[in-house]
Every structure is written in structure tokens, then in C-alpha cells.
Amino acid sequence: MSAARYGMVIDLDRCTGCGSCMVACASENNIPALPQATARTGLTPMLVRRVSNSKQGSERREAFFPIMCMHCEHETPCVKVCPQQAVEVDKATGVVMQMPQRCLGCRYCMTACPYHARYFNWWDPSWPAGMEKSLNPGVSSRMRGVVEKCNLCHARLHSAMEKAAAGKREIDAADYIPACVEACPTGAIQFGNLADANDPVTKESKSPESFRLLARLGTEPKVYYKSKEAWVRALAEPNAAPASEVQHG
Amino acid sequence: MKFSRRDLLMWGAGAAAGLMVTPVPWKILDDTSKWSQNWPWIPQAARVPVEFKQSACTLCPNGCGLRVRMAAGWPVGVAGANTHPISRGALCPLAFGAHQLNWHPKRLRAVSRRGIASSWNEAQGAFAKARGEGPIVVIDGYPGRAASSLLESFAAKQGGSYRVVNGPEVQALEPYEQWTGVPASSLGYDLENTQTILSFGAPLLDGWGMPGRFTRLWAERAAGITDPQLRLIQVDSSLSRTASRAWQWISIREGSESALASGLARAFVEQKLVPAHGPIPAMTLAEAAGQTGLQAQEIADLARTLIERTPAVVIARENNPAVAALNIVLGSVGTRGGIVRRSQSKQGHVSAEDAIQSARAVLIDASVPWDFTPKVDAEVFRFAAWDGGPTKADWLLPAPGFLEELTDVPSAPTASVETYGIAQKLAKPSAEVQSAAQFLARLDSSLDSLEKIIQTRCQQLFRKGAGTLHAREQSPVAQLASAEELEEQLRNGAVWVGEPSRADGLRAELKLWPDAGPSTRSADWASDWAAPVLPPLASKLYIESALRQVPERRNA
């Protein structure tokens, strides 16, 4: 199987901030809804943030940014700081993998992540009596005391790999669709293989309206955003000179 | 050799220091940590094969298509069914966590009478006694189902009455009943063919109607396009989520929607933008401007914008006759891209909001919103799957939860074409439950069962031979071999879609400009969600993110 680089293009002009991606992500990954969880302590591998153009009155405009692990490809900050080798970039898929069994919960990676896309799991998972029957059999319960993040629905990737291996073929794009992509009612989140020049997502990522968050850091995120609105694009590089992509040799 | 106290301390300190350079303490620490992170009592999902089944969501009357992941006989995940012709694979965010609702801590699991545990037999006995003593009223929140037919038949046989609680989307169509003579439940919006939508606070991008229908249309024809094919103009007193994504946001004072509607009607006529017919409002443009907080010129510009790209349609959030009348002024009733007649049914229903004269007992179906209280002094039998808090009902009767019963799914309230589907029972009831229909069927064995009514409806559709069955492939009903085949396909998730509505089948006449309707509030919209509780995972929306914060309103 040839190496893939799975990534996304999120069209912010299509995002209505409904939050379907967040709920579908939590459901897919057996994230419990704990009553003690707050905006600071909840586990939200996919979090939709509300942003505005900072104007008031009828001039005000708002947009919604779905934020998740950007699956940085170069000098991946979380990989570099992890003392336990609990994070690594999978060479076969480009997915930044988090292995909770290795994680000791030091949270260096949370500090290092420029996107605030990592979450510490403060509590043992629990559900009201009987609700454990509604858990997704493909995914383990989340471990307390470790850092969690988006893994591009790795269980779905495994399932697609098994299917591909059984049929002795490459992974079919229709077999591997992360839960957030599947849930988006406007089709704002597109998912594909950035290593494939013919993939629509690769083409979209090269659109002049596409951009990456904090591109100046040179971490080469594989999550792209897209917007026709200049004020939305400007949010990609807050408090910085206009972005310029870092070239790596 | 004497082993002194000092030697003991030195040995202990040396042993402790030496142990620290061996892997033993670290391994113990690591293992203890992992052991404590994986307590045996932490629930783990059963490692069993999964399968997918198609069904339909019954938590609101829109009936979006579902693709349900099943494991060990339980639903373990919900996604949209791409084969559904209207919802097209989209769902509201609440539906993605709906499979956990059946184990919600507020699930009703036992019959109770005024807070004291009772039984189904006692409830049956009390209801049978009450119907012998006086008239009964049956209230339904999701009309058009086979269960509704059974409820209606029972009420008719007993000489009682059958009433309906309409959601805000049907309420917004109620003013057209008196202007067209067609019941609101037979009307819909031809959104697919409209080019301009003026929404008065209707949360079109926030769960209004069938979420997949409008959001997909908007994404394809409007999102991010400077000069879109579909112009969405949102009138709202706050920057709601729909307003923030609309082509244009008209910010008005809270509660001044009727004034803006009157001002617009006036501007249409004064600027000769529409043929002069029908009444015009008494309110002048300047008065409308004063009430809304807009400039008179802004209202005049908005009127021109509406005419610029037609067909245009006006959508109110709820029953507001002044806003609804704009569609008559625009000529958008009974025309392509406007308000259309979905069904030829002439049968309307009496609203349960109207005062009920006298009744000995009121039976409320689980589809009726929890906070609905009938205006009558009678013994109330309330069916519900979840406990919504304090209630005036005398009897609380546990009803089937999400996907715990077989039911059919009639057309969505705002749809422009008729549809019919069947939501199959996929989950075992987690308590001893009965639906209102099952409860009444036990009291009167001459009533047809739900299965029989659904079967009859399938036979009628088959005999009519019209419409198309949408599954993985589309097949005209006329090409199906039998009514049984039609029913089987519907039970497996297919959806019947009727012939497109004829726009010219509807005529509206407005004799007087209507009075102002109620003020429109854009906060706390949770679609037409009928259950009194939300899925636990909705906490991601309401607590762990800022997505559902109430926006600041314009009051001045």
C-alpha cells in the first residue's frame, strides 16, 4: 500500500456552527458526557469556535472554526516534546497518533500544541446505568489521566484497512470517512488523501482561498481551511505579520 | 557484630537509595497507574460485530433518514442516511447522540399517579372509568401517523375529540388556512425553486424544518458566493447563527417584525413594485421605520431587493399573520418557489391550544411537548418517554423511547412534496412501556392495529401507483410488483416521494391587512425536538462550547 497523507479542507463559508461534528465525534469515540466537565475540562477533540470580525451592530459578522488536531507533518510539536514516545506520526497515513497506554499525563504536548487541540482526560469514563450498551464497539473507553486528541477516527481507518486487505486492494475512499466529515450537514468538511494529486481535497487545498492556521510556524498542518472572506483568512495568523509559508529543504 | 540503631538507619537509607536506581519502583508506579486507569468496573464496549440498518428519526415531525449502527442488538451510533431524498444524509446535532437517550437518567420507567407508583392495570382501569363518566379528549403532537389515525378513531368512537399541538413551523403556516381554505398541514415551502428568502427570525440554518433540506440547498447555492443563486435575508433582533451566515442581516428591534412586514407591504405598493391588489396596511413607512429602528430608505431598499430576484418567499418563525401576508402581496402563494400545496387533504385539525369545553379525561400522546398543558379541568393521562420535570398531569405513563417502536413517518411539516416512510423498531424497550396507541387499542379491540394501518396505507400507495420509491436506487411505484414489496422496502429504510406539487393549485385572498402577530424571539431554539430532555452528548454544544450562547439582542 502506498503511503497516504490524510488531511482535510474545511470550507468556513459553509460552516453554520451547528455542532453536529462535535456530537458525532464524541459518539464515535465513546467520549462520555460527564456532568462535571466544563468548557475548560471537557474532552472535545473536535471543537467549533465562534469568531467575529470584532465590529459591532449590523456591521458585525461571525464565522465558525472547527478546531481539531491539525496533524502537523513537520517538526510536529507534540511529538518532539513527548518524553514517552506516546505520540508519533504514522508514516503510512500521515496521521499524528496518540497512544494513551504510553502517555503518563505530563501534558507537555498540550503546552507545545499551538492549536490548543489537545485535552487532558481528568476523569474515569462513566455512563448512566445501561448506557454502556450504546458504546461504539470499535473504540475503547477513554483512559483517565492521559492526553486525548483527534486521531482521524482511527477505528474507521482500521476497519477500512481490513476491508482493503481482504479484497487485496487499496483503501477505498468511501470506506474511510471520519465521523465529523460524515456528520457535516453542509459538506463543509472534506476529507481526502493529500498525497494523491487527483484527490479533490488536494486540489481544494491549493486554492488561493485555502489557508492553514499559524502557517508561519512551519509545522505543515494537514488541515486546511478555506474562506472567501478576508477577515476570516486574517484570523489564521493573529498578532503576526502577513503569513508566509516556511520552505523546508 | 552489633547491629546498632545507626546501622539500621544507614542500611534503610542505602536500600532506599539503591532501589531508586533499579527499575522496580518505576515499573510498580507505571503498572499501578495503568491499573488505576483501567479499573475493571470501567465500562468497555462489547467487542461484537456491527451492522447497519436504515430507519427514520421520530424525535421531531421532520423524520430525517437514519443510518443506525447496531451491535449486539442495540443502536450504538447514528448517522444520516444518504438515500433519504429530502434529508440527504444530514441530521440535526441532537440526533447524533439520540441512541443514548433511552438510558437517560430521566427516562420514565414506571407508571405513576400523582407521584405515587402505580401500574398499567390501574391506569387502564382509571381511564376506562373516566370515559364511562364523560367525554374524553385525545391530544397528538405528531399528526398524520398510523398512531394518530388510531388515536383519532378512538376519540371519534367514544364521542370525544381529537386535537393537535402544532410545532412552530406549522403554526407559521396557519394564517394561510383562512386565506386559502387549505389546512396548514397540507402546505409547504417550495424552497428548491426559490431565489430569495426573507426570514423573520426563522432559524433556517439552526434546525428549522428538516435540517438536511435547507442547509444542503444553502450550501450548494449560497454559501460563500458573493452573488448567490439563493439569497437568504435574515431579519433578527440579534446576530443569530442564521443571521451570521445569511447573505444579508437586517437588524431590527425585538418584537417589531409585524411593523417591518407592514412597512415592506407599504413600500411594495408605494414604489409600484407589485401589482396593486388587496389591502394595504395603515402603517406608513416612517412609522414602520420608527418601530423597527431602521431607516425608511432601508425598508424601501429591502423591498426592492426582494423583487430583484424572484421567486421570493417570506418565512415567519411562528404564527404571525402580518409577516405571512407579505407572501400574498409578493404573489408567492400558489406559485413556483413560494408557498405550495403539498397534499390534497382538506382535513384540518382542531388545535389543542383552543379552549376545551368539558372533558372527563385528557389523554396526551408522547409526541406532545412536555410543557403543553391542556386548558381544561380533567383527569390527565400523560404519555412520555422522559420526565421533563413538574407537571400537572395526574398519570405519568412510560412510552417507548428512541427507535423502540414501529411507526410510520408522514411528510415533514414544511416539505413541498408528500413523503412516506417507516421507522422500524431497532431497540428493545429498556422498561415496561406502552404507546398511547397501544394503550387505547387494549381498551377497544375493534380498532385496527398499527401494523394493519401501515399495511393499509402501503396498499393505498401501491394502488395509486403514483410517486417514486427512493432507496439506493429510485423506482417508480408503478413498477413495483406488489404492495408487500412496497411495504418491505419502506420497512428497510426506503422513502416514498409523491408527485411534485402543482403550484397553481392554491389561491389566496386577503381582505383585510392582518393585525400584528406575536414578537419573535430567536433564542433557545432546539429545532422541533419533542423530547423534554436532550441527549447527554449535547453537553458538547451547550456546556463545553460557546455555540449555544444567547446572542445580544437589539432593544433600542
Side-chain angles (χ1 to χ4, degrees):
Chain A
M1 192 177 78
S2 54
R5 287 174 63 239
Y6 288 113
M8 286 183 181
V9 176
I10 303 178
D11 188 341
L12 300 175
D13 295 337
R14 282 185 166 215
C15 180
T16 64
C18 68
S20 292
C21 51
M22 291 168 56
V23 180
C25 167
S27 168
E28 171 72 19
N29 291 292
N30 289 340
I31 294 173
L34 297 170
Q36 62 268 44
T38 65
R40 285 175 63 84
T41 58
L43 215 56
T44 45
M46 167 62 97
L47 177 64
V48 181
R49 292 183 186 273
R50 194 174 194 143
V51 295
S52 80
N53 61 357
S54 303
K55 293 184 179 168
Q56 294 304 319
S58 58
E59 297 268 291
R60 188 177 176 86
R61 285 289 172 272
E62 289 186 346
F64 301 92
F65 261 93
I67 302 281
M68 17 95 78
C69 172
M70 300 287 149
H71 296 278
C72 303
E73 195 156 302
H74 186 259
E75 303 283 332
T76 312
C78 50
V79 175
K80 289 187 71 145
V81 298
C82 181
Q84 287 286 93
Q85 294 180 320
V87 197
E88 64 181 33
V89 182
D90 181 4
K91 286 179 182 151
T93 60
V95 177
V96 176
M97 298 303 304
Q98 176 82 20
M99 281 145 284
Q101 289 77 9
R102 289 188 195 168
C103 177
L104 57 79
C106 69
R107 288 171 268 173
Y108 284 0
C109 55
M110 287 175 67
T111 312
C113 177
Y115 304 104
H116 298 263
R118 296 179 147 264
Y119 298 86
F120 186 69
N121 191 356
W122 292 90
W123 300 287
D124 281 327
S126 66
W127 290 269
M131 204 181 278
E132 69 280 355
K133 292 191 187 81
S134 69
L135 299 183
N136 177 6
V139 178
S140 306
S141 296
R142 318 313 307 180
M143 277 170 71
R144 168 181 52 82
V146 298
V147 174
E148 299 271 15
K149 68 169 201 80
C150 159
N151 58 17
L152 287 181
C153 291
H154 205 250
R156 292 190 179 208
L157 174 60
H158 266 290
S159 170
M161 280 173 160
E162 280 171 15
K163 214 168 161 183
K168 295 183 180 167
R169 57 169 171 82
E170 296 275 310
I171 289 177
D172 185 341
D175 288 338
Y176 177 36
I177 301 171
C180 56
V181 181
E182 185 182 58
C184 183
T186 59
I189 311 177
Q190 292 179 65
F191 177 74
N193 179 4
L194 296 168
D196 178 357
N198 296 319
D199 194 307
V201 169
T202 310
K203 290 176 185 167
E204 283 285 309
S205 72
K206 293 182 169 37
S207 148
E209 288 149 3
S210 291
F211 60 95
R212 292 184 279 188
L213 295 184
L214 300 173
R216 70 176 188 278
L217 299 180
T219 58
E220 300 285 340
K222 287 194 284 293
V223 176
Y224 290 76
Y225 293 88
K226 192 181 157 195
S227 177
K228 286 194 166 79
E229 306 242 23
W231 71 267
V232 175
R233 291 200 299 272
L235 292 169
E237 299 288 342
N239 310 319
S244 58
E245 295 274 336
V246 178
Q247 300 298 316
H248 304 290
Chain B
M1 183 185 148
K2 191 182 172 192
F3 196 70
S4 66
R5 181 172 168 272
R6 174 179 292 261
D7 291 336
L8 178 67
L9 290 171
M10 285 174 64
W11 182 85
L19 198 63
M20 296 304 279
V21 295
T22 71
V24 175
W26 313 110
K27 186 65 185 156
I28 290 172
L29 188 67
D30 190 35
D31 283 355
T32 309
S33 161
K34 282 184 184 141
W35 176 61
S36 76
Q37 286 168 317
N38 292 286
W39 299 119
W41 56 82
I42 291 175
Q44 293 288 344
R47 292 281 183 261
V48 290
V50 297
E51 58 175 335
F52 291 89
K53 292 200 171 171
Q54 302 258 110
S55 191
C57 185
T58 52
L59 290 165
C60 87
N62 287 297
C64 299
L66 297 183
R67 185 170 177 262
V68 185
R69 179 165 41 194
M70 302 286 298
W74 298 101
V76 296
V78 171
N82 291 322
T83 52
H84 194 287
I86 317 290
S87 64
R88 295 198 281 162
L91 298 175
C92 73
L94 302 177
F96 288 98
H99 60 295
Q100 297 190 334
L101 271 173
N102 293 343
W103 290 276
H104 196 286
K106 291 195 170 176
R107 181 73 200 267
L108 278 175
R109 295 178 187 281
V111 177
S112 65
R113 182 173 182 266
R114 294 183 191 140
I116 297 164
S118 186
S119 68
W120 280 110
N121 283 341
E122 285 178 331
Q124 294 268 6
F127 190 76
K129 181 170 176 278
R131 75 170 168 159
E133 292 171 355
I136 52 132
V137 177
V138 179
I139 300 178
D140 189 4
Y142 188 175
R145 300 166 297 158
S148 309
S149 169
L150 195 148
L151 299 181
E152 197 170 1
S153 302
F154 182 88
K157 276 188 165 186
Q158 302 296 321
S161 68
Y162 169 80
R163 302 215 173 189
V164 162
V165 177
N166 284 324
E169 292 150 4
V170 179
Q171 285 174 25
L173 290 165
E174 281 173 1
Y176 303 99
E177 283 188 358
Q178 55 169 316
W179 302 330
T180 62
V182 175
S185 55
S186 295
L187 300 173
Y189 300 98
D190 186 16
L191 299 176
E192 286 74 12
N193 291 307
T194 197
Q195 296 211 41
T196 306
I197 296 175
L198 178 65
S199 156
F200 280 74
L204 295 178
L205 294 175
D206 197 8
W208 179 89
M210 191 179 270
R213 184 182 174 210
F214 185 71
T215 49
R216 297 246 168 188
L217 271 180
W218 173 81
E220 288 157 7
R221 296 170 55 197
I225 304 169
T226 315
D227 187 19
Q229 293 171 307
L230 175 64
R231 288 177 171 182
L232 171 59
I233 304 170
Q234 184 74 5
V235 175
D236 240 323
S237 58
S238 62
L239 187 59
S240 62
R241 289 199 300 114
T242 304
S244 69
R245 308 312 298 152
W247 180 71
Q248 190 181 357
W249 170 38
I250 308 290
S251 170
I252 62 166
R253 286 196 190 112
E254 192 177 348
S256 63
E257 290 80 9
S258 302
L260 178 59
S262 301
L264 279 171
R266 195 86 191 191
F268 285 135
V269 176
E270 285 179 2
Q271 296 180 76
K272 297 191 170 66
L273 297 173
V274 294
H277 57 77
I280 57 167
M283 186 179 282
T284 64
L285 205 53
E287 285 169 344
Q291 287 194 26
T292 57
L294 297 172
Q295 302 290 326
Q297 189 56 44
E298 285 179 279
I299 299 177
D301 289 346
L302 178 58
R304 272 195 297 278
T305 306
L306 280 173
I307 295 298
E308 211 169 79
R309 194 162 291 177
T310 53
V313 69
V314 179
I315 301 177
R317 181 191 161 98
E318 54 207 357
N319 186 336
N320 188 326
V323 173
L326 276 178
N327 276 319
I328 297 185
V329 177
L330 278 167
S332 298
V333 179
T335 53
R336 186 180 155 84
I339 309 274
V340 292
R341 183 172 190 168
R342 173 180 66 237
S343 147
Q344 292 308 308
S345 168
K346 290 176 183 167
Q347 188 194 5
H349 298 296
V350 181
S351 170
E353 307 282 351
D354 298 344
I356 298 168
Q357 291 306 324
S358 66
R360 173 64 183 82
V362 176
L363 184 139
I364 304 177
D365 185 62
S367 56
V368 175
W370 180 267
D371 54 4
F372 173 81
T373 307
K375 293 171 190 151
V376 66
D377 186 20
E379 191 168 11
V380 177
F381 293 76
R382 194 0 155 163
F383 281 82
W386 299 274
D387 185 350
T391 173
K392 288 184 178 172
D394 299 283
W395 290 85
L396 275 184
L397 306 164
F402 182 63
L403 300 178
E404 284 184 347
E405 65 175 332
L406 171 79
T407 180
D408 56 347
V409 181
S411 312
T414 58
S416 58
V417 288
E418 277 191 293
T419 58
Y420 187 70
I422 295 176
Q424 56 173 323
K425 176 181 171 178
L426 294 179
K428 293 177 277 246
S430 55
E432 196 190 333
V433 295
Q434 275 183 40
S435 67
Q438 288 167 332
F439 182 84
L440 296 182
R442 286 184 186 181
L443 285 172
D444 184 348
S445 55
S446 68
L447 292 169
D448 282 341
S449 67
L450 289 183
E451 284 80 3
K452 175 79 180 156
I453 298 171
I454 290 173
Q455 197 178 38
T456 308
R457 289 182 171 194
C458 290
Q459 284 165 354
Q460 285 167 350
L461 285 180
F462 179 74
R463 272 200 299 274
K464 238 163 84 179
T468 312
L469 201 60
H470 289 246
R472 281 187 194 284
E473 288 166 8
Q474 297 177 21
S475 38
V477 172
Q479 288 180 10
L480 296 178
S482 64
E484 288 71 33
E485 186 190 350
L486 173 68
E487 185 179 345
E488 191 190 338
Q489 289 213 38
L490 289 172
R491 280 178 183 256
N492 289 328
V495 178
W496 173 83
V497 180
E499 301 294 338
S501 51
R502 284 179 53 223
D504 58 357
L506 194 64
R507 290 278 173 274
E509 191 184 355
L510 183 65
K511 289 180 179 156
L512 282 172
W513 186 260
D515 293 333
S519 81
T520 295
R521 295 184 65 86
S522 53
D524 54 50
W525 176 272
S527 72
D528 262 351
W529 188 262
V533 297
L534 295 178
L537 287 176
S539 62
K540 304 283 164 202
L541 306 176
Y542 291 89
I543 301 169
E544 297 170 38
S545 76
L547 288 181
R548 291 296 192 279
Q549 284 176 341
V550 180
E552 198 178 316
R553 293 177 187 292
R554 179 174 177 184
N555 291 313

